[in-house]
Amino acid sequence: MRTAAIFILAALSAAADTRIERTTTWESSRPGLRAERTNRREILWIGEGRVRCDDRVSRESWIVRADKKVIWRIDHALRTWSEVTFEEAIKARESAVADLKAALARVAGSGDEVELRRFMECLAPSAGACEVKETGDGGTVAGKTTRALLLEPKGGPGVKGRLASEAAGLDRLAKALGEAGLLAPGVAAALEKSKGMLLSGSWTLVFPDAIVRESFEATKVEEAAAPEGAYDLPAGYRKVAARPMGRAPRAEAAPPGGYAGDAPGSEPEPGEGPTGEEAGKEQ
């Protein structure tokens, strides 16, 4: 009887997702354009091969589904969603690299060359192995003790942050983002081996049209079962053509009180919104 109970508890523990509330800053940049900075307040769900990020400011969600090899963007204000496959994301990065190579040939020896090479390192990073280094006490984040972490790959952007061994999910998060191409291969592989969760820090995410340097700090972290349908598309929303990724334009212009009289963060969490036929009706 005791053995059976242990197996049941282990199965429940393995099925639990990681839920993180955090404040985030995105610095989004593209060659030839001024960098854009947006502040976000996010809820992050991390499952096995599945990641969902809800921004309470822009009222947008991103879902990565490694099993379907897609990245979905959901706009809850407009009740729309769009899709980019992993293959499409790869092609977008390859196209950007080709453009950068042509541009480098034109600006060789100028001050622009250094900046363009930085973009190249992000879009086509070295696949060489790298190691996570713990550099000392990281202090307390979201009520959990952390260790300072540093990851410096050759030929690509690195990671700096604070890792909590009491939390979980970094291995699953890195694997999903790595398969989606959002994290550099060497960085994702190194973080997959880490036990715990990165609760504060910064890293670089590469979207099809933009490079985002994301800085974040968790305010709450817990293990819990994600609401039913959290990693699925909401019923009643309509599909639209994918627009440029890596940006949260609503976050830039969000008024202090949010949209349509709603205070920031008042939108329902995944699974709490209308579903079925009622979800498709106009309010």
Side-chain angles (χ1 to χ4, degrees), residues 21-84:
E21 295 182 20
R22 63 184 192 172
T23 57
T24 307
T25 298
W26 275 21
E27 293 186 9
S28 176
S29 57
R30 289 181 288 173
L33 296 177
R34 186 179 65 179
E36 299 175 349
R37 183 184 178 95
T38 59
N39 296 318
R40 303 161 64 90
R41 292 194 295 148
E42 299 176 338
I43 294 178
L44 182 68
W45 285 96
I46 307 169
E48 192 66 46
R50 304 179 179 196
V51 176
R52 174 175 179 137
C53 184
D54 299 311
D55 178 24
R56 290 177 174 268
V57 178
S58 67
R59 298 185 67 184
E60 293 183 344
S61 298
W62 293 93
I63 298 176
V64 173
R65 288 285 300 267
D67 58 331
K68 295 180 179 292
K69 298 187 183 302
V70 297
I71 304 169
W72 290 323
R73 173 191 162 273
I74 303 168
D75 189 320
H76 298 287
L78 298 178
R79 301 174 66 80
T80 60
W81 63 275
S82 59
E83 174 182 290
V84 173

Side-chain angles (χ1 to χ4, degrees), residues 233-274:
L233 291 168
Y237 284 37
R238 62 186 175 85
K239 185 177 182 179
V240 296
R243 73 182 191 185
M245 299 174 62
R247 302 178 62 194
R250 288 181 175 273
E252 300 168 19
Y259 296 95
D262 296 329
S266 62
E267 72 276 12
E269 290 220 54
E272 295 181 2

Side-chain angles (χ1 to χ4, degrees), residues 113-177:
E113 182 178 2
V114 174
E115 183 70 6
L116 291 180
R117 290 197 180 281
R118 182 179 69 83
F119 281 105
M120 281 284 289
E121 287 186 349
C122 294
L123 289 164
S126 169
C130 52
E131 294 183 359
V132 173
K133 299 178 182 178
E134 292 190 7
T135 58
D137 181 19
T140 301
V141 180
K144 299 188 181 297
T145 302
T146 68
R147 298 283 295 173
L149 172 149
L150 183 64
L151 183 59
E152 297 180 306
K154 294 182 179 179
V159 179
K160 184 178 181 181
R162 292 183 283 175
L163 181 74
S165 59
E166 302 172 52
L170 180 57
D171 53 347
R172 287 174 280 137
L173 178 62
K175 181 177 176 60
L177 297 185

